[in-house]
Amino acid sequence: MSETFKYMKRLAIIGSGDLGIQVAHFAQMVGFTIIGFFDDFKNSGDIVDKYTVIGKTETIIERHRNGEFDYLFVAVGYKNIMARGIIFDRFKHKVPYATIIHPSCIIDETATIGSGVILYPGTIIDKDVIIHDNVLINNACVISHNSEIFEHCYLSPRVSIAGFVTVRSNCFLGIGTIIIDNISVCEGI
């Protein structure tokens, strides 16, 4: 295996809607090569933005085994929050997920960021924050010290979370949401 091939970062994205296009944009900024979208609601060969729909989700595992891409990312938005988790779990431990972090983000060295996470521009992740798998954190969010965001959550632009907050799985926090310290948000809000 050549050294060039060994370190390639080829990304396939599940979902070719507006969110998929945004994910592709940010992923390219941090060095991923976008090979296309998997989308069960579009035809193979369709062009979305400048990317090709390369197939349905049922072909993902086989195509990864064939070496067509290195990483996967779920770009299903808040309107289908439960589907985000179901799709992510379907391929977890079978295909590696990419974590995409915009270069303008500030992340404390003590923070933990899971797989399949995207951090949009201007995000600040403070001391001892834990972000679990498959979380989308949109523009200019701030997550303060000792807070934890569980899997499959979607945080809209400018969400502000104070210290010692827990946000359980499958939560959607709308634009400008503010959560004061020591609050626990239950699953599926």
Side-chain angles (χ1 to χ4, degrees), residues 95-138:
V95 179
Y97 280 104
T99 295
I100 302 165
I101 299 173
H102 190 274
S104 68
C105 295
I106 299 170
I107 303 168
D108 190 88
E109 64 183 23
T110 62
T112 302
I113 310 290
S115 67
V117 170
I118 186 166
L119 303 179
Y120 276 52
T123 294
I124 299 172
I125 306 294
D126 201 3
K127 183 182 180 312
D128 294 323
V129 167
I130 300 170
I131 308 293
H132 289 266
D133 295 344
N134 193 33
V135 172
L136 184 146
I137 301 180
N138 218 308

Side-chain angles (χ1 to χ4, degrees), residues 20-21 24-25 28 34-37 46-53:
I21 294 166
H25 173 74
Q28 280 191 309
I34 309 305
I35 64 119
F37 298 113
D46 285 356
I47 303 298
V48 178
D49 199 44
K50 59 185 175 186
Y51 307 104
T52 304
V53 175

Side-chain angles (χ1 to χ4, degrees), residues 18-20 22-23 25-26 73 76-79 84 100-102 104-106 117-125 131 134-143 149 153-161 171-177:
D18 292 333
L19 182 57
Q22 287 179 352
V23 167
H25 173 74
F26 291 130
F73 194 89
V76 175
Y78 64 88
K79 291 181 182 176
R84 270 180 70 75
I100 302 165
I101 299 173
H102 190 274
S104 68
C105 295
I106 299 170
V117 170
I118 186 166
L119 303 179
Y120 276 52
T123 294
I124 299 172
I125 306 294
I131 308 293
N134 193 33
V135 172
L136 184 146
I137 301 180
N138 218 308
N139 296 311
C141 289
V142 176
I143 303 175
I149 311 298
C153 289
Y154 188 110
L155 280 61
S156 298
R158 294 208 175 271
V159 168
S160 296
I161 296 175
C171 286
F172 164 62
L173 301 179
I175 192 165
T177 298

Side-chain angles (χ1 to χ4, degrees), residues 38-56:
F38 287 103
D39 196 316
D40 291 339
F41 303 100
K42 296 233 169 86
N43 295 315
S44 291
D46 285 356
I47 303 298
V48 178
D49 199 44
K50 59 185 175 186
Y51 307 104
T52 304
V53 175
I54 57 174
K56 308 288 184 198

Side-chain angles (χ1 to χ4, degrees), residues 15-16 28-30 48 59 62 110 163 176 185:
S16 64
Q28 280 191 309
M29 289 180 69
V30 297
V48 178
T59 66
E62 178 185 349
T110 62
V185 178

